[in-house]
Amino acid sequence: MTTPLPSSLHRDMTDLLGAGWLVDDSERLAYAYDNSRRLALPDAVALPTSTAQVIALVRACRAHRIPLVARGRGTNTTGAAVPVQGGVVVSFERMDAILDIRPGDRCAVVQPGVLNGDLQTALAPHGLFWPPDPTSAAFSTVGGNLACNAGGPRAVKYGASRDNVLALTAVTGAGELIHCGTATTKGSTGYDLQRLLVGSEGTLALIVEASLRLTPLPSARRALRAIYRDVSSAARAVARLMAQPVTPSMLEFMDAQAVRLARDVGGAELPHDAGALLMIEADGDADRLPHDIEALMRAAEGDGLVALDDAADEAARAQLWAARKSLSPALRTLAPGKINEDVVVPVSRIPELVDGVQRLSRECGLPIVCFGHAGNGNLHVNLMYDPADGDQSARANATMAEVFTLAISLGGTLSGEHGIGLAKRDFMPRAVTPPTLALMRQIKTAFDPDGILNPGKLLPP
Amino acid sequence: MTTPLPSSLHRDMTDLLGAGWLVDDSERLAYAYDNSRRLALPDAVALPTSTAQVIALVRACRAHRIPLVARGRGTNTTGAAVPVQGGVVVSFERMDAILDIRPGDRCAVVQPGVLNGDLQTALAPHGLFWPPDPTSAAFSTVGGNLACNAGGPRAVKYGASRDNVLALTAVTGAGELIHCGTATTKGSTGYDLQRLLVGSEGTLALIVEASLRLTPLPSARRALRAIYRDVSSAARAVARLMAQPVTPSMLEFMDAQAVRLARDVGGAELPHDAGALLMIEADGDADRLPHDIEALMRAAEGDGLVALDDAADEAARAQLWAARKSLSPALRTLAPGKINEDVVVPVSRIPELVDGVQRLSRECGLPIVCFGHAGNGNLHVNLMYDPADGDQSARANATMAEVFTLAISLGGTLSGEHGIGLAKRDFMPRAVTPPTLALMRQIKTAFDPDGILNPGKLLPP
């Protein structure tokens, strides 16, 4: 048992956390990575069980200027949970309680370590759900979802994490317990600190309790599949769909490459001449649903539509989603390496984004596959390459930088729901003007005067 | 023509703003008050027409440490727009352009001085609207709505100002132009500064451009009027209404006193035995509406319901809303003075709030009338008294302090949509813990290092 941490800190934390203080190499290794496939060994891992322990931990680390990296289940894709400067990883896996569910207030109070999927299961009997639904929902935590402002397909209708939080209790980098917001759906009492914490990737404070805004579960849902001749026809349909009153509960886009993969590798029954595909879903009361589907069908129709299918039964809907979910693994058949970024642009600029990405793909000679949450203009741009090939790696990185430049030039930004972490940190100055970035740094200093919380993430050095 | 400002500043601002720099006493007087009926004469009034002028103005005032108070049309009720420390009032009345409307992106880009009502008129032909609908909408500005996070009846379904902003351009107290957020419905690129600015009452930065999130206009709406035996029956109905899937587009509450005033003074046809009243509205497609109304009627039914009327035609609906709108003027028949605060509590605590307020009314011997946005737990508590009577004034103020304490003890807070300003500033330490308030002060300093923006507001001295 060994740790490079100061021995007094090690002793104090052993006293404080007991079996919740891990310093064995093998144990530390389990907390060294996230889904970005980056890896850096923490000096220790803390598994607090109470807010009081979190406060004591932060104060002790602050006294020694030791970095603290908050961690849910490490499903994020940006390196935000990797302790690149060593220090202590704080895993919230033992603070995973659902403290309260109040259906009349449409509110749940939870600890940060609860899994998104477990929360949904607990809410369902009350006829409620929490809208954020990242692909990782079954095994990602609410705290992690809040840290990177996770979204998912449903965000087009129900918003992302930031839109679905009422109040947060958190411990700042100064070791102070702060209470941000109130568990009410309206509030105009001072500065809105809770939405500021959402998406801050553990760089401002550690969330120890969250009051979440819940939404009544729709009783039914129905999906449409619309195939278009080309991307711009599909993108124009997205704009029409978003300009009419029935907001779809999902509005997913696949480019021609993604359709081909879903067909050839994912086994979906899809035509060979699809230039782009939209998966459109409506949810609500069973009585109203046919009417909503009709409105969405009308909006989906237009120049360039090749086929429009109503996946009226659950089996057809499930097949469609299975094809969508098979995309990520199917990508690996194109190349062993993937850079997956989630740029976002105004919906009307999607055609220019996809056209520009295809041009960049031709120029660099590497496949790029686009799919994602069209209703939010939030596309997952997957650039495939061989990491063992140094030349390809260099071209891949240079091309992704151009994808960011393109998204920004279209009035968009670097990330819709994944966050910045390490992966996009150095691109922040392209997306955020110098005075705005300077202000973000000052806000960081106000919350975390010694810079111990997740150093090196989100803000460029 | 005279101003107490330094003569060099006066000269520079005359050069910069020309006829947009007012120093005449009579002109200054027009900018000395807001709807809180407080009054303090500014030393000058600036009417900038461009962002460049705002930047130059802030930098000049900062150099002289002169306060700057942003102003829309002065409809706020908290004194937030009153220049209590003198200095310069910046009125945005000449920066009132609608710069862009992009229906496919559900986005409008506006200058801060545009009237909420004028914006709605411009949006209607596109089948879109901006959700915030304060009673003042016809003559309040978008900038003012954003400054105090204005809501209104529709917020229960569509959110308040903070929920309907995508991006803001603003000038900080340091005279720096910042760009916060992007005009996309999703974003996870650094700290969320735009929602932090909303509700900050001009204490952090001056908003010079706003990208607003728009919503498709529903094609039809229909209202219900539900009368209950007592407040707790009505409040239980509110909780039932909010726990089912059809979110009402408005859910307004009146207590027995408010019902009596609406009947006797406002001329509404209302029964004499009403203990409480709910006005419930649904909006959406005409085809779907009957179904929604049916769902709302089912939820409104329950123990204590005296009468449930479907205001199926527009005339019946208009009569209902006329009664609701007549309430504020009708209050003056009770007493010449009014303290109107807009506390907010979780929906399930409304009965305790109203019961507690009625107890406080009996104890202080002054009438208190409650009505407001029940679906958000946001009640307007109107305490009526004679300001000429020193004893009544003292009791009124002491009682309102107890109303705040009550709301906070029920898990609520000081304001749902009016903001803090001067009126509730000294109550902030009851609603916000010391470390959280300290952090708000540090954030204020980061944005406004010399404290020139709206000094004395929102944060207690």
Side-chain angles (χ1 to χ4, degrees), chain A residues 332-379:
Chain A
R332 301 279 174 194
T333 63
L334 295 179
K338 180 176 79 167
I339 305 181
N340 164 22
E341 299 301 355
D342 77 312
V343 294
V344 59
V345 295
V347 166
S348 65
R349 313 303 291 273
I350 293 175
E352 291 158 89
L353 176 65
V354 178
D355 285 353
V357 166
Q358 286 170 346
R359 180 179 47 75
L360 290 170
S361 171
R362 285 190 301 273
E363 286 173 10
C364 75
L366 296 169
I368 305 184
V369 183
C370 287
F371 56 89
H373 317 306
N376 293 112
N378 181 204
L379 290 199

Side-chain angles (χ1 to χ4, degrees), chain A residues 102-106 126-128 147-153 155-157 159-160 162-163 172 176-180 182-196 198-201 203-204 213 216-219 238-248 285-288 291-292 295 298 342 344-349 373 375-378 411-420 428 431-433 435-436 439-447 457-459, chain B residues 102-106 126-128 147-153 155-157 159-160 162-163 172 176-180 182-196 198-201 203-204 213 216-219 238-248 285-288 291-292 295 298 342 344-349 373 375-378 411-420 428 431-433 435-436 439-447 457-459:
Chain A
R102 300 198 301 267
D105 296 330
R106 292 188 180 185
H126 300 280
L128 294 165
C148 62
N149 191 22
V156 63
K157 179 168 181 179
R162 188 177 283 133
D163 305 304
T172 68
E176 297 286 350
L177 187 69
I178 55 170
H179 295 84
C180 311
T182 37
T184 54
T185 50
K186 244 182 180 178
S188 190
T189 304
Y191 303 145
D192 185 350
L193 303 184
Q194 73 274 23
R195 287 180 186 80
L196 183 63
V198 177
S200 68
E201 304 181 3
T203 63
L204 299 180
R213 178 185 182 139
L217 264 179
S219 58
V238 170
R240 286 196 304 274
L241 283 156
M242 292 308 294
Q244 55 81 49
V246 179
T247 301
D285 276 9
D287 298 351
R288 274 168 29 173
H291 182 79
D292 288 357
R298 274 196 304 274
D342 77 312
V344 59
V345 295
V347 166
S348 65
R349 313 303 291 273
H373 317 306
N376 293 112
N378 181 204
T413 191
L414 301 174
S415 172
E417 57 183 13
H418 290 176
I420 300 301
M428 280 291 278
V432 180
T433 65
T436 316
L439 199 54
M440 288 186 184
R441 285 186 210 285
Q442 287 176 277
I443 288 170
K444 161 79 174 168
T445 303
F447 278 87
K457 311 300 173 60
L458 194 146
L459 295 168
Chain B
R102 300 199 302 267
D105 295 330
R106 293 190 179 181
H126 300 279
L128 294 165
C148 62
N149 192 22
V156 62
K157 180 169 179 177
R162 189 177 283 134
D163 306 304
T172 67
E176 296 287 350
L177 187 69
I178 56 171
H179 296 84
C180 312
T182 38
T184 53
T185 49
K186 243 183 181 177
S188 189
T189 303
Y191 303 146
D192 185 350
L193 302 184
Q194 73 273 22
R195 287 182 184 81
L196 183 64
V198 177
S200 68
E201 303 181 3
T203 63
L204 299 180
R213 179 185 182 138
L217 264 178
S219 58
V238 171
R240 286 196 302 274
L241 283 156
M242 292 308 293
Q244 55 82 49
V246 179
T247 301
D285 275 8
D287 299 350
R288 272 167 31 173
H291 181 80
D292 288 357
R298 273 197 305 274
D342 76 313
V344 59
V345 295
V347 165
S348 64
R349 314 303 290 273
H373 318 306
N376 293 113
N378 181 204
T413 190
L414 302 173
S415 173
E417 58 183 13
H418 290 176
I420 300 301
M428 280 290 279
V432 180
T433 65
T436 316
L439 199 53
M440 288 187 185
R441 284 186 210 286
Q442 288 176 276
I443 288 171
K444 161 80 174 167
T445 302
F447 277 87
K457 312 298 171 60
L458 194 146
L459 295 168

Side-chain angles (χ1 to χ4, degrees), chain B residues 213-237:
Chain B
R213 179 185 182 138
L214 307 177
T215 299
L217 264 178
S219 58
R221 52 190 181 179
R222 229 167 105 184
L224 294 173
R225 191 186 71 179
I227 292 169
Y228 295 90
R229 190 178 53 217
D230 49 36
V231 166
S232 52
S233 304
R236 282 196 304 273

Side-chain angles (χ1 to χ4, degrees), chain B residues 40-330:
Chain B
L41 204 63
D43 300 325
V45 177
L47 309 175
T49 57
S50 70
T51 295
Q53 285 186 349
V54 176
I55 295 172
L57 172 68
V58 173
R59 290 183 178 179
C61 286
R62 188 184 178 200
H64 293 276
R65 302 289 189 274
I66 300 294
L68 270 165
V69 181
R71 182 185 179 86
R73 293 292 173 102
T75 58
N76 68 296
T77 63
T78 65
V82 178
V84 283
Q85 298 185 20
V88 178
V89 163
V90 194
S91 171
F92 284 96
E93 63 199 73
R94 296 186 184 178
M95 288 178 71
D96 64 346
I98 298 171
L99 302 171
D100 198 7
I101 297 174
R102 300 199 302 267
D105 295 330
R106 293 190 179 181
C107 175
V109 185
V110 304
Q111 289 185 315
V114 67
L115 297 186
N116 179 313
D118 289 350
L119 174 63
Q120 310 293 1
T121 304
L123 294 175
H126 300 279
L128 294 165
F129 71 107
W130 189 53
D133 62 336
T135 311
S136 63
F139 38 92
S140 66
T141 66
V142 169
N145 295 168
L146 293 171
C148 62
N149 192 22
R154 279 197 300 234
V156 62
K157 180 169 179 177
Y158 297 107
S161 296
R162 189 177 283 134
D163 306 304
N164 290 287
V165 60
L166 299 172
L168 295 173
T169 306
V171 181
T172 67
E176 296 287 350
L177 187 69
I178 56 171
H179 296 84
C180 312
T182 38
T184 53
T185 49
K186 243 183 181 177
S188 189
T189 303
Y191 303 146
D192 185 350
L193 302 184
Q194 73 273 22
R195 287 182 184 81
L196 183 64
L197 291 185
V198 177
S200 68
E201 303 181 3
T203 63
L204 299 180
L206 306 180
I207 295 168
V208 291
E209 191 179 301
S211 295
L212 304 174
R213 179 185 182 138
L214 307 177
T215 299
L217 264 178
S219 58
R221 52 190 181 179
R222 229 167 105 184
L224 294 173
R225 191 186 71 179
I227 292 169
Y228 295 90
R229 190 178 53 217
D230 49 36
V231 166
S232 52
S233 304
R236 282 196 304 273
V238 171
R240 286 196 302 274
L241 283 156
M242 292 308 293
Q244 55 82 49
V246 179
T247 301
S249 53
M250 298 185 186
L251 177 46
E252 297 288 297
F253 167 87
M254 293 185 202
D255 72 5
Q257 281 257 48
V259 173
R260 193 183 60 71
L261 282 172
R263 185 184 62 229
D264 296 351
V265 186
E269 285 174 36
L270 290 167
H272 282 261
D273 59 346
L277 179 147
L278 294 181
M279 295 171 57
I280 310 161
E281 194 174 283
D283 66 13
D285 275 8
D287 299 350
R288 272 167 31 173
L289 214 45
H291 181 80
D292 288 357
I293 284 288
E294 207 176 289
L296 293 173
M297 288 181 95
R298 273 197 305 274
E301 281 164 9
D303 186 45
L305 179 71
V306 175
L308 182 59
D309 294 311
D310 181 352
D313 62 47
E314 186 57 28
R317 189 187 159 281
Q319 198 240 17
L320 212 55
W321 281 103
R324 163 70 175 82
K325 283 188 176 163
S326 73
L327 276 178
S328 275

Side-chain angles (χ1 to χ4, degrees), chain A residues 27 42 62 69 98 128 199 276 290 299 332 376 392 409 416 437:
Chain A
E27 290 175 317
R62 188 182 178 203
V69 181
I98 297 172
L128 294 165
R332 301 279 174 194
N376 293 112
Q392 277 199 22
S409 76
L437 204 50

Side-chain angles (χ1 to χ4, degrees), chain A residues 83-143:
Chain A
V84 282
Q85 297 186 19
V88 178
V89 163
V90 194
S91 170
F92 284 96
E93 62 199 75
R94 295 186 183 177
M95 288 178 71
D96 65 345
I98 297 172
L99 301 171
D100 199 8
I101 297 174
R102 300 198 301 267
D105 296 330
R106 292 188 180 185
C107 175
V109 185
V110 303
Q111 290 185 316
V114 67
L115 296 187
N116 179 313
D118 289 349
L119 174 64
Q120 310 293 1
T121 303
L123 294 174
H126 300 280
L128 294 165
F129 70 107
W130 189 52
D133 62 336
T135 312
S136 62
F139 39 90
S140 65
T141 66
V142 168

